[in-house]
Amino acid sequence: MKWKRTHTCGELSANNIDENVVLMGWVASRRDHGGIIFIDLRDRWGLTQINIRPESSVYEEAKKLRNEWVVAFKGIVESRPDGMTNANLATGEIEVMATELEVLNAALTPPFNIVGDNVASEDLRLKYRYLDLRRQEMQQNLVMRHKVAQLARNYFSENDFLEIETPCLMKSTPEGARDFLVPSRLSRGKFYALPQSPQTYKQLLMIAGFDRYFQIVRCFRDEDLRADRQPEFTQIDVEMSFIHEEDVFAIVEGLMERILRETLDIEIPRPFSRLSYDEAMRTYGTDRPDRRFDLPLVDVSGIVKSSGYGIFVQAVASGKTVAGICAPGCASYSRKQQDDLAAWARQRGAAGLIIVKVGAGTLEGSVAKYFDEQQAAAMIAAFQAREGDLLLLCADERDLMRQVLAELRGEMAKRLGLIDDQKISLTWIVDFPLFEWSQERNRYVALHHPFTSPVAEDVEKMTTDPGTVRARAYDLVLNGLEIAGGSIRISRQDVQQKMFQALKISPQEAEQKFGFLLEALSYGAPPHGGIAFGFDRLIMILAGCQSIRDVIAFPKTASATSLMDGAPSEVDAEQLIELGLQMKERSLL
Ligand code: ASP
C-alpha cells in the first residue's frame, strides 16, 4: 500500500472540492461511458464515484478493474456536472478525478451480487458469509447491533450496574435444554458444559454483594432448532439485589425507551401495559401475544352447549372447549377459501374449523339452523360480530384449541392486513404459574427455571398442590415475540430445596448438581431477581429482519452447521485419544 487513506468512501461532499484525496475500497461497479470510466468505490461508509478520463495516465489500468477488486485511488474532488448529481447518495454532489491508482488486490467474480438486489439462496450466502456481509443491508444490521450493545452498556453503567464476565466452561446442570458438553483433557472422563445462560453465576454474584450486574453474554443450547433459534445466541443478562418486580420493570422500561428512541426515533408510552398469563392465554391463546391487532379468542362453550349442533354439544360434554375468532368482513369467503382454512387448521392438529357467516343480526350457512334466535344473538354479542363477518370456530381440548387459534389469529391478521409494521407494542406478561405439567416427563416442570421464586403465600403448596403455585416471573413481549424473561429468585435454601423436591429432583441429585448454589444460599443471600433479553431477537425486530441469522455475523444453519468453515467437523484420532474418547459406530449405540 503506497499511500495513506485520507477519507472514507462515505464522507466527501461539496465542502471538499479541489482537495487532493486518497480513497481505498472495493469496486462496486465499473461503467464505461463515452470513453470515460466511472468506478463506484465502496467501503463500510458508502460509495464514491471515481472518474477516469481517457487522458488520465491510469486509464489503461482502470479498464482492467473488475467488481470487488480492492483498489486505492489518488485524485482531486470535483463537483459533478449539472444534472449528474445524485441526491440519494451522501457523496452524490461530487466525484473524484483519478490521478493515480494502485490495485491492492484482485478478486474472483463473486457468486452473487454485493450491490443491488440479492437473490442468492441463504445457503450460498452463508457459505460466502464474508461476501454476504459486504452487502449494505447486512452492514446496517451489524451497525444496529453494535449501537444497541453500546447503548445497553452505557445505560447499565450509568445506572450503577457492573459488567462482570462469567465462565464459558461450567458444570453441566439440567436447566431446561440440552447442554453442549466439552470433554476435559486434564480430568479424564469428566466434562464441562457450555452455559445455557449465566443464571447460577449471576445469582452467586448477588450473594457476593455486587448488587447490580449485567453482561452481554453468549449462551449455548443444544436444541433442535426452530426458525428463530441458534445453538449459540446472545443475551443481555441482568441481575439486581434488594428489589421487587417493579424495580426490574423500571430498569427494563428505561432501557427499551432509550433503545427505541435512539434507533427508531420512537417514543413509547410508559409504564408498559401488563397482562396476566391467564388473561393472555384466554384472550390470545399464547403467552406472547401480538397486540398490534385485536381478533381476540372467544370461548363460546357456554352458548353452544345448548344448541342443536351435535359436534359442539358433544365436544363440550366431553370436556373440550368451543372457541373461535371473528374475521371481520370475511363472510364473502368462497367455499374453497373456507375449505382451505379448515385444512390449514387440521394441519396444525385441530379436528377442523366450523365456519359460520354473520348476517344482519343472524347467523347464516349450514350450521346456523342449529342455533335458535337467542343463541344466535348470544354468539354475535360474544364476538361483537357485525354483518359480513365470519366466525372461525374450533372444538378441541383447551390447549390444542388455544394453540391453533393463536396461530389462526396471526394468520388472519396477516391476510387481512391488520398488522401495522410501524407499530411497537410492548406488554409485560405477569402472574405466571410456577410449574406446568409435562405429559412427556410425567411430572411438573418449572415454567421458567428452577430458581424462580414462588409468591410467598404459595410456598407451602409447592409440594402439596404445585399446579396452583404462582411464580414471581415476568416476560416482556414485543410485537408477538418474547424479547426478555426473568423473575425474582429463590433466595432461601429451604425454599430452593422444596423447589427441587417439587421437580422430583432427589436430595442426592440436588446436592450433586446444585450443591454449590444451595450452600451459597445459606451464606447470606440477599433478595434478588433479574431478567435476560434475547439480544439477537431484539435486533432482528429493530432492524426489521425476518430471521435472526440476518443480525448475527456468522450464524449456523437450521441443522446447527456452519456452511463457511464446515463446523462441526471430525477431529484427529490423537485428539480423541488425548481426551480419552472413542467414537462408536451409530449402529453399536
Ligand atoms: N436465565 C434466564 C434465561 O436464560 C433469564 C433470567 O431468568 O434472568 O431464560
Side-chain angles (χ1 to χ4, degrees):
M1 220 166 62
K2 289 194 283 199
W3 314 305
K4 187 168 160 48
R5 170 164 72 170
T6 60
H7 295 84
T8 69
C9 296
E11 67 175 306
L12 294 174
S13 69
N15 297 331
N16 303 93
I17 285 170
D18 290 339
E19 282 179 27
N20 278 299
V21 297
V22 176
L23 299 185
M24 296 182 186
W26 287 261
V27 174
S29 72
R30 197 202 72 204
R31 302 179 300 278
D32 294 5
H33 274 310
I36 304 177
I37 298 174
F38 291 99
I39 302 280
D40 278 343
L41 196 66
R42 186 195 70 232
D43 68 9
R44 192 182 111 195
W45 291 273
L47 282 182
T48 302
Q49 180 166 290
I50 314 286
N51 181 322
I52 304 142
R53 296 265 156 96
E55 58 273 21
S56 162
S57 60
V58 298
Y59 188 76
E60 286 309 313
E61 209 178 349
K63 270 187 174 169
K64 294 182 210 146
L65 297 180
R66 295 289 177 270
N67 282 0
E68 301 308 312
W69 283 32
V70 190
V71 277
F73 279 105
K74 229 181 197 179
I76 299 165
V77 183
E78 293 194 358
S79 70
R80 292 198 193 183
D82 278 351
M84 306 294 273
T85 55
N86 181 352
N88 295 327
L89 202 63
T91 61
E93 284 178 305
I94 58 97
E95 58 188 346
V96 172
M97 287 296 161
T99 52
E100 288 183 62
L101 148 65
E102 185 189 0
V103 173
L104 301 173
N105 218 337
L108 295 175
T109 303
F112 48 78
N113 286 340
I114 308 292
V115 179
D117 285 347
N118 188 290
V119 289
S121 71
E122 195 177 22
D123 280 2
L124 197 62
R125 289 174 50 206
L126 289 173
K127 178 163 164 52
Y128 295 98
R129 189 57 161 182
Y130 44 90
L131 296 179
D132 190 37
L133 289 175
R134 281 189 197 162
R135 298 192 303 116
Q136 196 188 19
E137 187 190 323
M138 297 301 284
Q139 298 224 330
Q140 279 168 353
N141 292 348
L142 293 189
V143 168
M144 167 80 86
R145 188 178 174 111
H146 162 81
K147 215 165 150 182
V148 177
Q150 295 312 308
L151 215 138
R153 284 210 160 86
N154 291 336
Y155 175 82
F156 284 113
S157 294
E158 282 163 27
N159 284 287
D160 265 337
F161 287 75
L162 298 176
E163 183 165 17
I164 304 176
E165 289 159 275
T166 51
C168 265
L169 296 176
M170 66 178 286
K171 186 182 166 77
S172 177
T173 52
E175 208 194 297
R178 196 179 292 115
D179 281 334
F180 275 104
L181 296 177
V182 181
S184 163
R185 181 180 59 85
L186 295 174
S187 307
R188 266 192 170 216
K190 296 194 174 168
F191 293 82
Y192 303 98
L194 303 181
Q196 295 184 26
S197 86
Q199 183 61 37
T200 48
Y201 289 115
K202 65 175 176 175
Q203 292 191 236
L204 294 168
L205 289 170
M206 295 304 103
I207 298 172
F210 285 101
D211 209 291
R212 294 184 148 209
Y213 143 98
F214 84 100
Q215 187 182 191
I216 299 183
V217 64
R218 201 64 64 81
C219 303
F220 304 86
R221 295 181 191 176
D222 189 4
E223 292 176 296
D224 293 331
L225 303 185
R226 280 187 260 140
D228 63 347
R229 294 264 171 97
Q230 282 280 301
E232 50 180 313
F233 59 95
T234 306
Q235 284 188 345
I236 307 180
D237 196 36
V238 180
E239 198 73 7
M240 304 158 76
S241 293
F242 305 109
I243 48 120
H244 288 113
E245 287 85 334
E246 296 299 331
D247 300 284
V248 179
F249 294 170
I251 278 291
V252 167
E253 293 190 8
L255 174 67
M256 285 308 296
E257 182 176 52
R258 193 183 290 186
I259 290 176
L260 288 167
R261 183 181 297 147
E262 293 188 20
T263 57
L264 302 182
D265 199 19
I266 290 177
E267 288 300 324
I268 36 162
R270 282 178 66 183
F272 301 169
S273 61
R274 293 181 196 178
L275 197 63
S276 74
Y277 172 83
D278 277 346
E279 204 180 333
M281 294 304 285
R282 241 184 297 121
T283 316
Y284 304 104
T286 169
D287 57 0
R288 41 187 168 78
D290 190 339
R291 298 178 83 204
R292 288 175 296 178
F293 57 92
D294 281 336
L295 295 189
L297 272 54
V298 179
D299 183 340
V300 286
S301 308
I303 303 172
V304 300
K305 68 173 186 212
S306 50
S307 73
Y309 191 50
I311 292 185
F312 284 165
V313 175
Q314 279 153 27
V316 178
S318 65
K320 293 183 177 165
T321 307
V322 179
I325 61 170
C326 173
C330 292
S332 56
Y333 266 29
S334 66
R335 179 86 252 156
K336 166 146 188 0
Q337 278 174 304
Q338 296 187 23
D339 289 348
D340 285 351
L341 269 184
W344 181 97
R346 275 195 300 274
Q347 266 169 17
R348 281 152 185 83
L353 271 189
I354 313 289
I355 300 181
V356 186
K357 287 184 187 179
V358 180
T362 57
L363 299 179
E364 292 176 355
S366 56
V367 179
K369 60 176 177 284
Y370 299 108
F371 288 79
D372 66 23
E373 210 174 298
Q374 222 180 351
Q375 290 158 348
M379 288 287 278
I380 291 171
F383 283 102
Q384 298 185 355
R386 300 213 202 131
E387 184 176 1
D389 291 351
L390 199 61
L391 305 182
L392 309 172
L393 302 161
C394 243
D396 280 291
E397 296 294 345
R398 191 191 67 179
D399 292 353
L400 176 62
M401 172 279 290
R402 285 179 170 172
Q403 213 176 309
V404 173
L405 288 182
E407 243 194 282
L408 183 63
R409 181 178 168 265
E411 176 66 24
M412 292 311 291
K414 236 186 273 164
R415 289 191 190 186
L416 297 172
L418 301 179
I419 306 176
D420 176 355
D421 284 344
Q422 303 302 314
K423 208 163 165 180
I424 291 282
S425 159
L426 279 156
T427 305
W428 286 110
I429 308 294
V430 295
D431 302 334
F432 281 91
L434 190 63
F435 302 107
E436 65 183 343
W437 180 257
S438 164
Q439 209 66 41
E440 196 185 322
R441 298 187 201 180
N442 196 32
R443 65 165 172 88
Y444 280 101
V445 294
L447 195 82
H448 276 83
H449 52 62
F451 315 110
T452 300
S453 173
V455 166
E457 305 88 80
D458 293 354
V459 169
E460 291 317 314
K461 293 195 291 184
M462 286 172 76
T463 39
T464 55
D465 193 5
T468 62
V469 178
R470 293 162 296 166
R472 295 183 68 186
Y474 32 79
D475 282 354
L476 183 60
V477 176
L478 170 55
N479 294 354
L481 293 172
E482 183 199 322
I483 57 161
S487 56
I488 302 300
R489 320 299 182 191
I490 296 171
S491 53
R492 271 178 30 205
Q493 192 202 40
D494 57 332
V495 181
Q496 189 62 66
Q497 267 162 335
K498 229 179 163 68
M499 182 68 165
F500 292 142
Q501 202 184 330
L503 296 174
K504 303 269 183 280
I505 299 178
S506 70
Q508 295 79 354
E509 192 184 352
E511 184 53 37
Q512 189 206 346
K513 303 252 160 79
F514 297 108
F516 65 101
L517 182 71
L518 288 169
E519 190 174 24
L521 287 173
S522 63
Y523 276 104
H528 62 287
I531 191 159
F533 279 79
F535 186 58
D536 312 284
R537 210 178 277 174
L538 176 63
I539 305 299
M540 176 183 91
I541 301 171
L542 296 173
C545 296
Q546 298 304 316
S547 157
I548 60 168
R549 292 186 293 277
D550 283 345
V551 299
I552 297 173
F554 299 105
K556 305 268 189 302
T557 62
S559 48
T561 61
S562 164
L563 296 178
M564 190 181 59
D565 58 22
S569 59
E570 273 118 30
V571 294
D572 292 340
E574 291 94 280
Q575 285 175 288
L576 290 180
I577 291 167
E578 259 187 343
L579 294 167
L581 296 179
Q582 196 184 8
M583 291 309 296
K584 273 196 174 163
E585 291 298 325
R586 192 176 271 277
S587 58
L588 299 177
L589 291 176

